[in-house]
Amino acid sequence: MIAILVIMVILAVLMAVCLLALVDQYRTLDIIRRDLGINDTPQPVSYPQSAPVSPSGIGLPFHLNNRRRVIVLFLSTTCSTCRGIASALHGFVPDDLWIVVESRSEETAIGWLGGVGMEIGAVTYDQGAIASQLELDITPAAFIYEDGTLIRAQTVPSFRQLKLLLGTEVTASASTA
Amino acid sequence: MLSFGDEIARCLVAVWFLYAGISKLAAPDALRSTLLALRVPHPGLSAIAVPALEVMAAVFLLAAPRLLLTLVLLGMLVVGFVGAAASALIRGVKVRCACLGRASEGELGWSQLGMAPIWTLVGVWAYFASTSLQGRVGLISAAAMSLVIAVIALRQLLPLWQESRVIVGAAGQERRFW
């Protein structure tokens, strides 16, 4: 009996050591990420000064010009983070969000959208024409328009960053949809 | 009443050593740096030996407080910690010590000297006066305390793991569309 209890103590101690070692590893990773500046931090995206300032100017629907604030989110069918962000929306596109899907072909885009639970009608499909006007070569990226005017652009490294861009109320409805 | 207080004090000291030992065993590098700064010979080996001694002392304090070995283990730890703290203070060197794990890193010195009499008193008192929490009950208590520490670690681990998943996902940004 005593031998079993001793083994139990040893195993319990080992388990605690392993778990605390994992905690330490994650903390170390966090320190490394912070030092390298690769945490979940959005980076500004540059665009040409001559780029059209309104959403319709780059080929997006005209009604977006009239919205007080709209975020045009560029996702690519070849980027894993884009898939994660699109999946996290659960097929629901909030009012202040417009998605542009970059893809080689319409079939690929339709297949990709089906995989993330979205319909082609709810987004704009682009073969590079829209992105090239903004000289955009990174996804996921967000272009923020206010009153029909381009204010700034940034990368969207995670769904969490998209939530921050969209605001709490809209996100709450998105996550419950 | 005095006996109850004695048992509580003994359990608290045991938990302290158990947590300190397990934390150091989980991240021996932090202790190794401290031992290097203190110019302790064989710092790699000592970084494992010291926390192993702490865990043993905690288990013996719970399961066999009246054993001479328990008193010897506690004595070795107290002498070691007091020696390390005194060495740092006398030499005027600021030595960082992850005495309760890397998260609670602090300066080696007066806090260790302050705790030494408490550890000694509890060890001596347990050796001469302890009556309960011995043998089986003590071992079960040690296992239960280790499991509680494991649960505390798990609670720290989950948010870190979730955070890491988000960031690993963010690493998938692409510079080209196709």
Side-chain angles (χ1 to χ4, degrees):
Chain A
M1 184 64 183
I2 291 289
I4 292 170
L5 286 174
V6 168
I7 291 169
M8 204 169 80
V9 171
I10 292 170
L11 288 176
V13 168
L14 279 178
M15 194 171 81
V17 168
C18 289
L19 284 170
L20 277 173
L22 259 179
V23 170
D24 188 64
Q25 288 302 306
Y26 275 112
R27 288 218 174 103
T28 309
L29 260 181
D30 191 46
I31 291 167
I32 293 169
R33 279 198 214 103
R34 238 179 290 150
D35 286 356
L36 293 176
I38 52 171
N39 262 339
D40 184 24
T41 313
Q43 299 294 321
V45 171
S46 59
Y47 50 87
Q49 290 297 314
S50 58
V53 291
S54 65
S56 65
I58 54 170
L60 294 176
F62 189 80
H63 66 84
L64 294 178
N65 292 0
N66 302 323
R67 292 197 186 164
R68 198 191 65 76
R69 187 169 192 265
V70 66
I71 288 137
V72 177
L73 178 67
F74 285 83
L75 301 176
S76 166
T77 54
T78 59
C79 132
S80 55
T81 308
C82 303
R83 176 176 284 274
I85 289 173
S87 299
L89 286 167
H90 301 295
F92 179 84
V93 181
D95 286 342
D96 58 351
L97 178 69
W98 192 263
I99 296 173
V100 178
V101 176
E102 299 291 337
S103 175
R104 273 178 193 273
S105 66
E106 194 168 356
E107 290 75 38
T108 312
I110 292 169
W112 187 84
L113 285 166
V116 297
M118 279 189 182
E119 293 174 14
I120 189 85
V123 304
T124 297
Y125 151 68
D126 179 38
Q127 265 189 305
I130 296 173
S132 63
Q133 290 183 67
L134 299 166
E135 295 183 4
L136 178 67
D137 67 347
I138 186 167
T139 53
F143 284 72
I144 297 121
Y145 292 88
E146 281 182 11
D147 299 318
T149 306
L150 179 57
I151 302 297
R152 64 188 167 93
Q154 65 168 70
T155 59
V156 185
S158 65
F159 182 64
R160 182 168 62 177
Q161 294 300 332
L162 180 64
K163 283 205 290 189
L164 291 173
L165 273 178
L166 291 172
T168 319
E169 286 175 35
V170 183
T171 313
S173 60
S175 59
T176 53
Chain B
M1 189 64 193
L2 186 65
S3 174
F4 181 70
D6 151 53
E7 299 304 337
I8 294 285
R10 188 158 60 91
C11 286
L12 285 176
V13 171
V15 168
W16 174 283
F17 278 120
L18 202 56
Y19 186 79
I22 289 173
S23 302
K24 286 180 195 133
L25 281 173
D29 280 357
L31 180 61
R32 195 171 169 272
S33 308
T34 307
L35 295 172
L36 269 172
L38 290 168
R39 298 179 201 162
V40 172
H42 309 296
L45 187 69
S46 305
I48 302 293
V50 171
L53 272 180
E54 283 180 306
V55 172
M56 277 173 67
V59 174
F60 273 88
L61 198 56
L62 288 169
R66 302 198 73 167
L67 205 68
L68 184 63
L69 179 65
T70 310
L71 200 58
V72 171
L73 283 172
L74 270 176
M76 282 166 70
L77 287 171
V78 169
V79 168
F81 292 149
V82 167
S87 160
L89 288 172
I90 290 166
R91 283 164 45 211
V93 185
K94 285 186 178 178
V95 179
R96 303 293 294 170
C97 175
C99 297
L100 282 170
R102 206 196 292 271
S104 61
E105 205 173 61
E107 213 165 278
L108 191 70
W110 291 110
S111 55
Q112 282 73 30
L113 290 180
M115 291 300 285
I118 300 169
W119 295 330
T120 312
L121 200 67
V122 170
V124 171
W125 187 266
Y127 178 70
F128 286 106
S130 215
T131 51
S132 62
L133 260 188
Q134 296 184 26
R136 288 178 187 183
V137 181
L139 284 172
I140 291 169
S141 307
M145 284 170 189
S146 301
L147 287 174
V148 168
I149 293 170
V151 171
I152 292 168
L154 199 63
R155 285 190 57 159
Q156 292 175 22
L157 185 63
L158 285 176
L160 287 167
W161 174 70
Q162 282 167 344
E163 176 80 5
S164 188
R165 276 191 67 192
V166 169
I167 294 163
V168 168
Q173 280 183 91
E174 293 211 345
R175 262 287 163 196
R176 285 174 295 147
F177 302 139
W178 44 71

